[in-house]
Amino acid sequence: MHRLTNALLTILLVAAALLCAPPLMAQQATHRWPTKEWPTSSPEAQGMSSEALGRLVDFGLFNNMDSLLVARHGTVVLEATYAPFRAGLKHRINSATKSVVSTLVGIALKDGLLGSADRPVVDFFADRTIANLDDRKKAMTIRHLLDMTSGLDWKEPFDGQLESFIAMESSRDWQQFILDRPMAAQPGTVFNYNSGNSHLLSAILTKVTGRSALDYARETLFGPLGIEDVLWRHDPQGISAGGGGLYLQPRDMAKIGTLYLRSGRWEGKQVLPASWIEGVRKANVDMRESWARDLRYGSQFWVMPGRDAYLAVGYNRQLIVVMPKLDIVAVVTGAARFPPLGGRPSSPNYGFDTLLGFLGAAVTSDSEAAPDSTATAYLAERLRLANIEQPSPVGVPSAMAKAVSGKTWRFAGNALLLRSLTFRFDDPLPSFEYELDDGLPGLPTSRLEGRFGGPIGVDGHTRVGGRMLYGPSAARGAWSADGRSLVLEVQTLGNDDVARVTHVFGDGTVQMSFEFASGFRVTMQGQAD
C-alpha cells in the first residue's frame, strides 16, 4: 500500500512539474542571445510600463546622460540617445573598465591560469625591485586588489581629486609607480578606492596569459559575446589600462551585464564561473563613505544589497546595472556639459538608488502586459525630445572670420601637445583642423598621425563629423560682440571631454584659453605662418 501511495505521489509530482514546464521551456527555447543582434520589443511585451520608462528618459535628459538602454528578459525595451551623442558610437566607460578587468580575472581563474585569488601580488613581479617592501606588502593578494583593500598608500577620493591616479599616468612605468607605493594599512582591513589596484590586475593578467588584457578579452570575453568595436588605452609598457580607458558601445556594455545576469553562460558555454558572479552579488566590503551606507564593494563592482543589484561604475555615471530578481540589465553613459546659455558646467551626480527606483517602478509583471497605445506614444515623444539639441546663442557675423580663414598657427610645446591649428570659414560649412605632437601615451602610433578636426556649427547647433583621437568631432561656435574672439565648444562624442575654447585673434597671433568641463584649464599662444 505504501509503495502504491508513493508511486501515485511520484506520478502526481511529475505531472505537476510537466504542467509547469512548458512556459519555462518555451522561454528558454525562444531566448535569443544578442551575440550578433539585440532582440527588441515594446516595454509592455516584457512586463514593463512605457509611461514609467518615459519618465526615466526625462530623468536622463536633466541628468546629463549620453545614452540609456534597458533590457528585460534578454530583450531591449528602451534605447535612448541624447543629443549630440549618436547611436552606434563607442563611449569611454571610465572606471567601469575595472569590472571588465575583474571579469577577465574570473575567467583566468576558471582557466587555471591564476590558481587562486589568494596568491600574493609581489610573486608576479619577482623580476622587479620593489620599494617599501615589507611584510604587509608581501601579504597583499589578488583578492585585496579586487576588493580595494590592498593597503597601499593612494589618494583617489570620490570627490574627483585624483592625485595618485594623475601621478601614475604621468610616470614612465605605471606598474613600478604602484608597486613602489608605501603601505598605509594592513591588507584586507580598510577600503580605499585605488585605480592602481586595477592596473596591477591587468598587469598580472598579462603575466599569466602572455598577452594584453585586450587581446585576452578578445579571445575569452569579447569574442564569445560578439563585441568587436573596442578601443582600450594602454600604459607605456603596453599593459591595458586597468583602472579606466576602455571604450565600448552601449549595446556591448549590455552584453557584459547579460553575461552576469545569465550566471556566466553564453550560448551554452560557461564563459565565467557562476560562483564568481554569486560572489559579486554577495560582496560585503564596507566603502566607509557617508553617502554610501547602502552600498558595498567587491570584485571591482558596486553592490546594493537592499535592491539585490550590482553595478559596474565609471566616472560621470558610466554604468552597467544588473538586477537579477527583475531580470533587468540597464546601461547608462553620461558626460559633463556646459549649459547653452553660459555658466558653470554640470556633471551627472544622481544617486544609484534613484536610478534603480525608476527601473523597479517600471516593472508591472513577470509576463507580457496589455499594449497601451497612449503610453507608447508618450514614450516615443520623450525619446524624440531627448535627441533634440538645445541650441546655444548664435553670436554675430565677424569680418575676422574671413581674415583668419585658411591661416595656420603653430604652437610651442604645451600640455595638450597641440602643434598647429587651422580654421576654414570660407567653406559652406566652417571647420577646424589641427595636428598633435608625438608623445601621447596609450594609443597606437597610427592613431596619432595626420590631421584632426571637423565641422563647426555656427547656427547654435553642433555639427558632427571629422576625426578626433577617440571618435568623431562635435563642435559649435560663435563670435563675440566685438568680432575679435571666437568661442568654440568642442568635444569628442563619447569621450566626455567637452571644452570651451576662447580664441582671441591678434596681429599674427592667436591666444587660446581652454576650459574643460572637468575643471582643467590651460592657455597657450600660437604664431601665424
Side-chain angles (χ1 to χ4, degrees):
M1 182 66 180
H2 288 297
R3 291 178 181 175
L4 289 175
T5 303
N6 290 338
L8 180 60
L9 179 60
T10 300
I11 292 172
L12 291 174
L13 289 173
V14 170
L18 290 174
L19 287 173
C20 296
L24 178 60
M25 292 172 62
Q27 182 179 350
Q28 291 177 339
T30 58
H31 178 72
R32 292 163 51 195
W33 292 96
T35 310
K36 294 183 178 179
E37 185 179 6
W38 272 97
T40 61
S41 76
S42 69
E44 281 71 24
Q46 306 303 324
M48 298 190 79
S49 162
S50 291
E51 182 179 0
L53 290 178
R55 291 192 291 271
L56 177 56
V57 172
D58 281 349
F59 175 79
L61 182 63
F62 293 105
N63 284 277
N64 290 16
M65 288 185 185
D66 276 345
S67 72
L68 168 64
L69 183 150
V70 179
R72 190 170 194 228
H73 304 327
T75 300
V76 172
V77 298
L78 172 66
E79 192 167 20
T81 54
Y82 297 84
F85 191 68
R86 308 287 177 84
L89 293 179
K90 293 188 293 294
H91 204 286
R92 186 174 71 181
I93 68 172
N94 294 331
S95 286
T97 303
K98 295 176 171 69
S99 302
V100 177
V101 170
S102 84
T103 300
L104 295 175
V105 170
I107 294 172
L109 286 167
K110 173 184 73 72
D111 292 345
L113 299 176
L114 282 173
S116 167
D118 295 322
R119 288 186 63 181
V121 171
V122 296
D123 287 0
F124 294 95
F125 300 95
D127 58 332
R128 291 176 177 264
T129 300
I130 300 174
N132 300 301
L133 185 60
D134 58 14
D135 288 343
R136 291 185 298 178
K137 189 174 288 189
K138 291 178 182 178
M140 181 174 60
T141 67
I142 292 173
R143 170 56 59 194
H144 295 139
L145 298 181
L146 287 166
D147 289 346
M148 296 293 184
T149 58
S150 67
L152 289 170
D153 183 26
W154 194 269
K155 296 179 177 61
E156 191 180 346
F158 292 116
D159 63 7
Q161 303 301 314
L162 311 180
E163 178 182 330
S164 298
F165 180 83
I166 293 171
M168 176 192 74
E169 290 219 337
S170 301
S171 69
R172 296 180 180 272
D173 189 330
W174 298 6
Q175 300 166 70
Q176 194 69 49
F177 176 87
I178 303 160
L179 290 167
D180 285 348
R181 302 298 298 168
M183 297 297 290
Q186 181 69 27
T189 61
V190 179
F191 174 89
N192 184 35
Y193 194 77
N194 178 347
S195 291
N197 291 338
S198 310
H199 193 65
L200 287 183
L201 289 171
S202 179
I204 290 170
L205 284 169
T206 296
K207 292 276 189 181
V208 300
T209 67
R211 61 202 120 159
S212 68
L214 171 58
D215 287 338
Y216 185 56
R218 282 174 171 154
E219 177 189 346
T220 64
L221 178 63
F222 297 158
L225 272 57
I227 299 174
E228 299 177 349
D229 188 16
V230 177
L231 173 65
W232 200 334
R233 292 180 59 244
H234 57 75
D235 73 6
Q237 285 68 47
I239 302 299
S240 301
L246 179 58
Y247 292 71
L248 294 172
Q249 291 198 26
R251 284 192 166 207
D252 289 336
M253 295 168 68
K255 290 180 181 180
I256 294 171
T258 299
L259 176 69
Y260 273 80
L261 193 64
R262 298 290 174 249
S263 299
R265 294 189 66 79
W266 197 271
E267 293 190 331
K269 179 182 177 182
Q270 195 71 43
V271 173
L272 185 64
S275 58
W276 175 270
I277 296 172
E278 190 63 19
V280 169
R281 192 174 177 182
K282 294 180 178 179
N284 61 359
V285 176
D286 190 344
M287 300 173 72
R288 302 186 311 122
E289 297 284 344
S290 60
W291 52 267
R293 291 190 177 95
D294 55 350
L295 287 168
R296 292 295 180 266
Y297 196 89
S299 299
Q300 311 273 287
F301 279 85
W302 302 47
V303 184
M304 188 166 286
R307 292 224 181 238
D308 188 27
Y310 51 95
L311 307 87
V313 176
Y315 181 66
N316 275 345
R317 298 300 190 263
Q318 324 305 327
L319 306 175
I320 303 173
V321 181
V322 183
M323 304 179 75
K325 287 183 180 178
L326 297 180
D327 202 23
I328 285 176
V329 168
V331 166
V332 177
T333 61
R337 301 213 202 297
F338 284 99
L341 301 179
R344 296 177 60 84
S346 60
S347 298
N349 61 0
Y350 52 86
F352 300 133
D353 191 59
T354 301
L355 175 65
L356 297 178
F358 272 106
L359 292 167
V363 174
T364 58
S365 69
D366 286 333
S367 58
E368 184 175 357
D372 186 335
S373 59
T374 301
T376 299
Y378 171 78
L379 175 58
E381 178 65 6
R382 305 332 291 169
L383 291 170
R384 185 186 71 82
L385 293 175
N387 206 29
I388 296 177
E389 181 182 35
Q390 185 179 356
S392 63
V394 174
V396 297
S398 173
M400 184 67 74
K402 184 176 181 179
V404 303
S405 185
K407 285 187 176 181
T408 297
W409 286 268
R410 305 284 174 182
F411 299 86
N414 55 80
L416 300 182
L417 302 179
L418 182 64
R419 179 190 301 171
S420 71
L421 173 68
T422 305
F423 286 106
R424 303 194 185 280
F425 291 108
D426 49 359
D427 294 337
L429 184 59
S431 64
F432 72 106
E433 63 179 26
Y434 63 95
E435 294 176 293
L436 293 173
D437 287 328
D438 297 331
L440 188 68
L443 285 172
T445 303
S446 59
R447 292 187 65 89
L448 299 172
E449 296 174 346
R451 293 180 176 271
F452 301 91
I456 303 171
V458 293
D459 58 355
H461 292 277
T462 299
R463 293 292 181 272
V464 177
R467 172 187 178 230
M468 302 280 262
L469 271 176
Y470 302 101
S473 166
R476 59 185 178 185
W479 290 92
S480 61
D482 62 11
R484 294 184 60 241
S485 302
L486 172 70
V487 179
L488 186 67
E489 183 179 302
V490 61
Q491 64 177 296
T492 310
L493 286 190
N495 198 47
D496 191 15
D497 61 1
V498 65
R500 274 184 175 159
V501 189
T502 301
H503 307 75
V504 180
F505 298 96
D507 185 13
T509 64
V510 60
Q511 186 82 15
M512 296 177 63
S513 299
F514 290 79
E515 178 192 2
F516 289 87
S518 62
F520 179 68
R521 296 170 183 261
V522 64
T523 300
M524 64 187 70
Q525 181 169 295
Q527 301 289 329
D529 283 348

